Amino acid sequence: MTIQLPGAGGTLRAYEPRTEPLAVAAGASFTSRTVFAAAHVVADPFADVSPDAPAAVDWDATLAFRRHLWAHGLCVAEAMDTAQRGMGLDWTGAAELIRRSAAEARAVGGRIACGVGTDQITGGTLAEIRAAYEEQLALVEDSGAQAVLMASRALAATATGPEDYLEVYGHLLRQATAPVVLHWLGPMFDPALTGYWGADDLDAATDVFLEIIAAHPDKVDGVKVSLLEARRETDLRRRLPRGVRCYTGDDFHYPELIAGDAQGFSHALLGVFDPLGPLAAQAVRLLDTGDTAGFRALLDPTVALSRHLFQAPTRFYKTGVVFLAWLAGHQDHFAMVGGLQSARSLPHFARAYELADGLGLFPDPKLAEDRMKTLLALYGVTR
């Protein structure tokens, strides 16, 4: 049996779906790496809301997906970019998500880290930006979750130079009650973050970033770097103070960065581990045994799918992530908060389906095929 998938120039091509999924099993957490999957949110498809209205979330399905990730030994990175933070999910919705997910983590014994930002304001003075960060930091810490200090659009717009970043982050790190993760999100994920750390030049920005860490190494568990440049991440990793981890956020080069080299390796905090969760967990368990070749053999083939999902405009990768969650049966619909399901084309969806199916990511390949056919019919592809 084949399915007709659209390709370039409006043509259709036959694709034969696989009939069996990749065999994976749930398991305990890992011993060699700390691995966070940044999780998406499931929209309430029956809510009568417009794309610019506050998000309506299906809480049951959203929390069920987090339990799925924890069951495979993954940690959950909550209320971050993959959860459409600032792209459909506002601070009010993010705060509720943090409370609910942190409570669920306590109930099942899962590890969780939550994003701390300034998205309750759109701009302001440095004092107002600090106060916004402080409000969110307090909520995350009160929930019992680890804090991830995310890059701030408001700070990027207000800061006049590196000294403003040093002042704001230094203030927050002194206040933090436990070590945090510092998050450097590149402008390919959010153009409003261009010039973060007070410099357009990435070498100069890296120096500022490292200066902040060096001043407070006891308050920094690690750094999450999402610049999609493997060499830059490796160089940064080697300059970190002893005890400060590097969590790769590079969705293009994660197998080689997690595997590492003779001088070290990266842990992971990745959006692509949302759809890859069970397969990624199986790969890391091989790494736990010292089987680096087996780890690479299992994870390297996933890079083509990841690069497809994260192709420019990279910030719309969430659409592909949720699309694959629907095909995999983790939710009953393909609707997204903010109406973001419209952010990718039908050929993009078709290629994502083909790549994911080829990897065996769908627990029920026939369900995924049927749902892909439903989407094709909606777009007018009836053959």
Side-chain angles (χ1 to χ4, degrees), residues 135-201:
E135 177 190 355
Q136 297 199 16
L137 178 61
L139 185 144
V140 169
E141 291 187 333
D142 288 347
S143 76
Q146 184 177 17
V148 180
L149 294 186
M150 300 193 303
S152 162
R153 292 175 180 172
L155 183 55
T158 300
T160 58
E163 63 282 352
D164 290 336
Y165 290 90
L166 292 167
E167 192 278 327
V168 170
Y169 277 87
H171 179 83
L172 293 169
L173 290 172
R174 286 189 294 271
Q175 284 200 342
T177 61
V180 307
V181 176
L182 295 181
H183 186 191
W184 185 356
L185 191 68
M188 68 288 294
F189 290 92
D190 188 344
L193 300 177
T194 300
Y196 212 73
W197 310 116
D200 289 324
D201 178 77

Side-chain angles (χ1 to χ4, degrees), residues 27-361:
S29 57
F30 317 120
T31 58
S32 64
R33 303 290 189 274
T34 300
V35 181
F36 287 91
H40 73 281
V41 293
V42 182
D44 178 355
F46 301 115
D48 186 12
V49 294
S50 61
D52 57 354
V57 176
D58 180 337
W59 295 113
D60 289 342
T62 293
L63 294 176
F65 187 76
R66 279 130 186 85
R67 292 193 296 272
H68 155 74
L69 295 173
W70 284 317
H72 285 277
L74 296 157
C75 310
V76 169
E78 187 58 279
M80 296 186 65
D81 190 53
T82 307
Q84 294 179 245
R85 191 77 179 266
M87 290 186 67
L89 187 71
D90 62 12
W91 167 237
T92 299
E96 183 66 14
L97 178 64
I98 290 167
R99 293 187 192 99
R100 288 176 180 257
S101 293
E104 196 72 18
R106 290 193 300 273
V108 304
R111 181 173 173 181
I112 189 169
C114 298
V116 170
T118 63
D119 45 332
Q120 69 271 56
I121 62 174
T122 57
T125 65
L126 290 181
E128 290 168 332
I129 292 168
R130 283 196 307 270
Y133 263 130
E134 288 169 347
E135 177 190 355
Q136 297 199 16
L137 178 61
L139 185 144
V140 169
E141 291 187 333
D142 288 347
S143 76
Q146 184 177 17
V148 180
L149 294 186
M150 300 193 303
S152 162
R153 292 175 180 172
L155 183 55
T158 300
T160 58
E163 63 282 352
D164 290 336
Y165 290 90
L166 292 167
E167 192 278 327
V168 170
Y169 277 87
H171 179 83
L172 293 169
L173 290 172
R174 286 189 294 271
Q175 284 200 342
T177 61
V180 307
V181 176
L182 295 181
H183 186 191
W184 185 356
L185 191 68
M188 68 288 294
F189 290 92
D190 188 344
L193 300 177
T194 300
Y196 212 73
W197 310 116
D200 289 324
D201 178 77
L202 289 180
D203 291 334
T206 299
D207 289 341
V208 177
F209 189 50
L210 288 167
E211 184 177 350
I212 291 169
I213 298 164
H216 308 276
D218 59 320
K219 290 295 186 74
V220 181
D221 164 63
V223 299
K224 194 266 192 183
V225 186
S226 301
L227 297 175
L228 303 184
E229 292 186 29
R231 182 179 296 276
R232 182 169 297 280
E233 178 176 321
T234 301
D235 291 345
L236 171 64
R237 186 174 73 201
R238 292 171 181 169
R239 296 173 65 187
L240 291 172
R242 182 178 297 275
V244 176
R245 306 178 184 208
C246 181
Y247 293 95
T248 187
D250 188 331
D251 299 278
F252 285 3
H253 307 99
Y254 50 92
E256 65 190 79
L257 290 164
I258 297 170
D261 54 32
Q263 299 182 58
F265 56 82
S266 293
H267 300 270
L269 197 166
L270 288 161
V272 76
F273 279 7
D274 177 305
L276 292 182
L279 187 155
Q282 184 161 305
V284 177
R285 288 196 178 89
L286 291 174
L287 200 56
D288 285 348
T289 69
D291 185 2
T292 303
F295 166 82
R296 293 295 299 268
L298 195 56
L299 208 57
D300 281 358
T302 68
V303 172
L305 171 63
S306 187
R307 286 176 176 259
H308 178 71
L309 296 178
F310 285 78
Q311 68 182 214
T314 302
R315 63 188 181 276
F316 294 127
Y317 77 87
K318 299 93 162 172
T319 300
V321 165
V322 176
F323 170 66
L324 293 181
W326 173 56
L327 294 185
H330 294 299
Q331 55 194 79
D332 294 331
H333 59 82
F334 180 36
M336 297 178 66
V337 299
L340 208 63
Q341 66 270 15
S342 65
R344 292 297 200 188
S345 68
L346 183 61
H348 181 91
F349 292 135
R351 183 59 177 157
Y353 163 73
E354 182 178 7
L355 289 169
D357 180 71
L359 292 168
L361 292 186

